[in-house]
Amino acid sequence: MFDTLSDKLQHALGDLRGRGRLDEETVSKAMREVRLALLEADVNLGVIKDFVARVKERAVGEEVTKSMTPGQEVVKIVHDELTAAMGGSDSRLAFGGSGPTVILLAGLHGSGKTTAAAKLALMLRKDGRTPALVAADLQRPAAIDQLEQLGRQIQVPLYAEERKEPVKAAAQGVAWAREQGADTVIIDTAGRHQVDVDLMDELGRIAAAIRPLNVLLVLDAMTGQEAVNVAQAFQEHVAFDGILLTKLDGDARGGAALSVGAVTGKPVKLASTGEKLDQLEWFHPDRMASRILGMGDVLTLIEKAEAAVEADEQAQLEQRLRAGEFTFDDFLASYKMLRRMGPLKGVLSMIPGLGKQLHGVEVDEREMARVEAIILSMTPRERSFPQTIDGSRRQRIARGSGTTVQEVSRLLNARKEMQKIMKQIGKGKMPAMPGLAGRRY
């Protein structure tokens, strides 16, 4: 989503990074480029003016002139101000001590509320809570059916008995969830194509009946400036606590994420980063700022890895790698862990320094699928003992996987090289890398 903005900001700040001295003219020139980058990203004009003014004031102040690396200090200032514009710090949901915590989702029609409700339920269940869903969107006939299907898919109970009165459905749903032993209740409400009085009145009556501890405004990040207008309109009628951004993985320019918190004063708490039900994340403004400026996002990468890898899987694989063993079964296990972390390009972009190099490069997930097909075309013995794969076996594996003998041979050679590296690491040696042989450190 932030690719274009990221490229333009990094270009605007590129000349500053290595400078040992800065003058006001240089900073002003860079800020003009930053302003244009933010305008193209569809950031709110008022937010842009405040952002550029704060950065410029700090960049020509004492904190930069006294710094040993003024250029890098300005980049840090931009990072700080980007973080502040997106909310400043992480903001989590509030949970009550007694009785179920009620979370009310509000938003326009098509913003993704129903799917977001299921994603949030799954996320909270993984965090150790016992969620339940309540269908209070009685305007859209398919909404209840959709939520029922999603509830079954994620194995979260759903209340959908009342089909006529939304306020009654919400109140009865909370009472039902309490009887079921749920500690968290997520209410999916109706949306409209436009903000109107009926929608606001209905939300107000639902909120008065169930007294939610959290009211989340669900906004489509693809709508850009319109998301800001919607948030302001809701804020005038409904007191919401935070924002859940959907479609953050789309080709939107980033304006909503950078503007909505600054304009409303309400934090972005959660962000949907993909279509799958497990692709909902807590929103970290500082980490997002680091991604935009090409600094990577190591903390999120570690969290994704920990969530994707079971402790026993990790220990077993680590033990085998330390012993210098790397079979094709190990490769399959590693590949499955990697896939659980999300799209490969997204994962690689979180590694500092790789994000910029990956721009314009298509990471072909199908290539990984071909490798998997080759391995699955091997017998269990061949996967454990690849050295037994001779010419005739290579031909059989190629036919079975729909690939060529040359591709099978390349994979076998790559596994050999990987095993050599693992053996060196297991013995505590630094593996020889191309171009580094013979150097002393």
Side-chain angles (χ1 to χ4, degrees):
M1 172 179 177
F2 289 104
D3 285 352
T4 302
L5 175 61
S6 179
D7 287 343
K8 290 186 178 297
L9 279 182
Q10 289 182 55
H11 176 75
L13 299 171
D15 291 339
L16 299 181
R17 290 179 189 268
R19 284 182 175 260
R21 295 181 62 187
L22 291 178
D23 53 38
E24 190 168 350
E25 183 182 350
T26 305
V27 172
S28 295
K29 181 182 176 183
M31 288 307 103
R32 282 196 295 273
E33 296 290 330
V34 168
R35 185 185 294 109
L36 286 173
L38 295 173
L39 280 170
E40 288 186 29
D42 205 16
V43 178
N44 178 272
L45 186 58
V47 173
I48 294 175
K49 287 181 178 178
D50 291 344
F51 178 89
V52 172
R54 286 196 304 271
V55 172
K56 191 172 180 180
E57 182 182 358
R58 291 179 61 186
V60 296
E62 289 187 9
E63 63 182 292
V64 170
T65 55
K66 290 183 178 179
S67 172
M68 295 294 290
T69 54
Q72 292 178 18
E73 190 66 36
V74 173
V75 176
K76 180 182 179 298
I77 291 170
V78 173
H79 178 276
D80 292 345
E81 293 299 336
L82 278 175
T83 302
M86 291 186 286
S89 60
D90 303 345
S91 180
R92 300 298 177 101
L93 299 175
F95 293 100
S98 61
T101 295
V102 179
I103 303 171
L104 179 66
L105 300 187
L108 293 186
H109 176 73
S111 59
K113 287 189 312 303
T114 302
T115 305
K119 287 183 174 184
L120 181 56
L122 178 60
M123 181 184 188
L124 294 177
R125 199 192 71 191
K126 287 182 176 179
D127 285 347
R129 300 194 68 82
T130 309
L133 291 162
V134 174
D137 180 357
L138 309 184
Q139 297 290 329
R140 187 165 61 94
I144 297 176
D145 295 337
Q146 182 185 357
L147 200 57
E148 282 181 332
Q149 290 177 4
L150 292 172
R152 283 195 296 271
Q153 193 173 335
I154 61 176
Q155 298 180 330
V156 170
L158 167 74
Y159 175 83
E161 299 302 318
E162 174 59 42
R163 301 285 179 115
K164 294 181 179 179
E165 177 51 55
V167 177
K168 193 175 178 182
Q172 290 182 354
V174 172
W176 168 85
R178 184 181 288 109
E179 292 173 1
Q180 297 293 314
D183 59 16
T184 310
V185 188
I186 301 166
I187 316 288
D188 179 31
T189 63
R192 299 286 191 277
H193 287 290
Q194 299 292 332
V195 176
D196 57 37
V197 176
D198 290 339
L199 169 66
M200 299 306 174
D201 182 57
E202 181 182 291
L203 279 173
R205 287 186 287 117
I206 291 175
I210 63 175
R211 299 193 177 188
L213 195 56
N214 301 273
V215 178
L216 294 180
L217 180 60
V218 180
L219 291 175
D220 182 347
M222 301 284 286
T223 56
Q225 276 292 297
E226 187 58 29
V228 178
N229 298 333
V230 170
Q232 287 180 303
F234 266 87
Q235 193 173 35
E236 292 174 4
H237 298 89
V238 180
F240 61 87
D241 306 294
I243 296 153
L244 188 158
L245 278 179
T246 62
K247 305 177 188 176
L248 205 65
D249 59 316
D251 60 358
R253 290 168 288 177
L258 282 167
S259 303
V260 73
V263 170
T264 64
K266 301 296 183 181
V268 177
K269 292 177 178 279
L270 295 149
S272 175
T273 57
E275 294 181 1
K276 294 182 180 178
L277 292 177
D278 60 354
Q279 291 179 317
L280 181 71
E281 300 175 359
W282 297 110
F283 189 80
H284 303 278
D286 56 337
R287 300 184 191 180
M288 190 59 72
S290 293
R291 286 195 217 181
I292 292 171
L293 294 177
M295 299 174 182
D297 186 356
V298 175
L299 290 176
T300 299
L301 183 62
I302 292 170
E303 288 173 3
K304 280 181 174 288
E306 288 175 343
V309 181
E310 299 293 336
D312 55 343
E313 285 182 316
Q314 184 178 355
Q316 187 178 9
L317 185 58
E318 184 179 347
Q319 186 177 6
R320 291 180 61 77
L321 292 180
R322 285 184 180 278
E325 300 173 10
F326 192 75
T327 67
F328 281 118
D329 285 321
D330 296 325
F331 180 93
L332 275 182
S334 304
Y335 177 52
K336 286 175 183 175
M337 292 176 198
L338 188 60
R339 275 198 308 193
R340 289 200 291 262
M341 291 173 66
L344 184 58
K345 188 171 182 178
V347 172
L348 294 176
S349 67
M350 293 181 194
I351 302 172
L354 265 187
K356 191 172 182 180
Q357 294 179 37
L358 287 173
H359 181 64
V361 176
E362 286 300 320
V363 178
D364 191 355
E365 302 271 353
R366 292 172 299 179
E367 184 63 33
M368 296 294 286
R370 280 194 287 272
V371 170
E372 186 179 24
I374 292 173
I375 296 172
L376 291 175
S377 296
M378 300 175 185
T379 65
R381 177 172 172 78
E382 287 169 345
R383 289 201 293 269
S384 298
F385 302 99
Q387 62 270 22
T388 63
I389 301 176
D390 55 18
S392 61
R393 289 175 185 247
R394 292 184 191 207
Q395 290 178 354
R396 190 203 77 241
I397 292 168
R399 286 195 302 271
S401 59
T403 58
T404 65
V405 174
Q406 288 80 3
E407 287 176 299
V408 175
S409 297
R410 279 200 298 271
L411 181 59
L412 290 168
N413 291 333
R415 188 211 63 86
K416 269 189 197 175
E417 292 302 315
M418 181 62 73
Q419 188 173 43
K420 286 179 187 176
I421 292 172
M422 291 304 165
K423 281 182 178 178
Q424 288 178 306
I425 293 174
K427 293 176 182 178
K429 297 178 181 178
M430 184 67 185
M433 298 294 181
L436 297 181
R439 289 194 185 182
R440 295 183 175 222
Y441 296 92

